[in-house]
Amino acid sequence: MTEATTVRPSNPPTTAPTIHYQVAMPKPQSHLFEVIVQVQGWSESVLDLKMPVWTPGSYLVREYAKHLQDFWVEASNCPQPLQWCKLSKNHWQIKTEDASNITVRYRVFANELSVRTNHLDATHGYFNGAALFLFIPGFEQHSIQVTVVPPKPDWTVTTPLPSVPESPHTFEAADFDTLVDSPFEIGCHQVYEFEALGKPHQLAIWGQGNANPERIIADTQKIIEVEAQLYGGLPYEKYLFLLHLSSGGFGGLEHKNSCSLNYPRFGFRAKDKYNRFMQLVAHEFFHLWNIKRIRPKVLEKFNYERESYTTSLWFCEGTTSYYDLVIPFRARIYDTKTFLDGLSKEITRLQTTPGRLVQPVSESSFDAWIKLYRRDANSDNAQISYYLKGELVSFLLDLLIRARHGNKRSLDDVLPLMWQQFGAREVGFTSQQLRDTIESVADTDLSDFFNRYVDGTEELPFDKYLEPFGLKLMGIEEEELVPYLGVKGKTENGQDTIVFVEADSPAGVAGIDAGDQLLAIDGWRVTTEQLSDRLKEYHPGDTIELTVFHQDQLCTFSITLGAFQPSRYQIMHIENSTDAQKRNLAGWLE
Ligand SMILES: [Zn+2]
């Protein structure tokens, strides 16, 4: 639709204009980045500028243009501002007349501290190019220079882009994709230099907390080595880990030569939290191959204006999630027990999400744009995360291949093959090509596996795949059993609200609704915190009277409680395992 309303000539201009961006932040506390785009050597009567609506790595239309304000255009040979109009939410068109040197100014409000947005305040500036820069359609392949103007002399600039000789604050990007793929950190952050496999790396940390840079660097070096060994080398000249320490944030965004990480500032001392951080590092680093270079066909060339649908995110994100658990284990950052406990936790998450039986993981991948990041009260009933199920499907594939080939082959062998066929050549893969590659390593037809567990919603048969390794999955019930009701609640502002009702559970069948305010069981007040303890007073088959406010109306429901449900699952060793099982297990985990 945007294209149809454009009056721009269909043949792109043949002369090559130069494109230069300047990013200033004279009043950082205002949260406003001031961007200037200078286009020199323009020879057409109109100039189109567009803002990306999403950023690669995060599959949601985020409408970055909503933060853009104060758009203004002038030409060097014209005393009056040039005329312009908007043709769509993210498309500006300028009537350039005879002007060849055009300056566009705009400001972008930046007050969202996440790896995929922009943040500017009195302490620092951070931007993700997709959320800041307008691009000129047809000129995405042209090289771009960016000059950053820090507001204070002691603010430095860190980015994976190379700086221009003699101009330390001017950086060069080979094209718009590279610009978008290169986050910027501006401020008084700490930068630590280190080497891994003979290549220079940086760890830049913004914010205060209990992170120990020496320990992080030592463990990161091990992760780099293990992952490089998996893929056969490092496909970059230098790499930047950019870490934001925040109050409660968690997230990462992968790039080709860098990653942005956001982690709780005091989340580095406790062993489990530190392990979770190293998993985040392993995850985003793994992406420099899987998704940044080994890309689904539809992401071979980014379309910044609309959704790009693929059924393969279960591999891009899920397999990466499996390896973010495997890699720190192989790097000896944690032990076998921690690794198996980590897998058990993920299995628990899957098995306690009813949506696993409703949405295939290939469909979850395809619908990422409208579902994963847009959760509502029904999400757990109707969908499954492609991260979570993709991780566990990858786990089963790894066990399947290992068991078939006595650990001489594994999912590890799929990765360098995908790298050689697609990643190194930067050619996108189709879902069929991905499956062909996995089948070639497994050396068997996996139609049945894919039909059931990737394109279907059958329960993952953990025991079948664990058994050759002398392992089994146990459903663990709490010590004091809780009869099954099927709700989750939350206390907010002193009110106890039901936030999730499991479909077909006793509560769901009775008519309890997400949003209902929890009041009483059998006439006695109950809070979210007390709910589980209060239910322990009853037995499966007992009927309770649950009182709630539903749409402001006082309602009491008679609910017959169901059978006890496992509250968690645990991978356990089979007693008296055979020598063959012991050999398999040792081959996998030692
Ligand atoms: Zn990821």
Side-chain angles (χ1 to χ4, degrees), residues 98-114:
D98 295 329
S100 60
N101 296 335
I102 300 148
T103 301
V104 179
R105 298 169 191 272
Y106 59 93
R107 302 204 286 178
V108 173
F109 184 71
N111 195 23
E112 190 178 347
L113 182 60
S114 86

Side-chain angles (χ1 to χ4, degrees), residues 254 283-284 287 316-317 320 387:
E254 65 275 10
H283 183 104
E284 302 309 333
H287 272 317
C316 308
E317 288 296 351
T320 301
Y387 284 83

Side-chain angles (χ1 to χ4, degrees), residues 294-343:
I294 304 170
R295 301 209 288 254
K297 196 86 192 158
V298 72
L299 297 175
E300 189 178 290
K301 190 174 180 305
F302 294 117
N303 183 334
Y304 292 103
E305 290 203 80
R306 58 182 65 97
E307 296 86 344
S308 300
Y309 297 101
T310 169
T311 55
S312 298
L313 290 182
W314 72 267
F315 174 75
C316 308
E317 288 296 351
T319 302
T320 301
S321 295
Y322 175 53
Y323 277 92
D324 81 35
L325 202 52
V326 168
I327 299 289
F329 166 63
R330 283 195 194 153
R332 300 284 184 257
I333 292 169
Y334 45 70
D335 60 12
T336 309
K337 182 179 181 306
T338 306
F339 172 64
L340 291 178
D341 286 353
L343 277 172

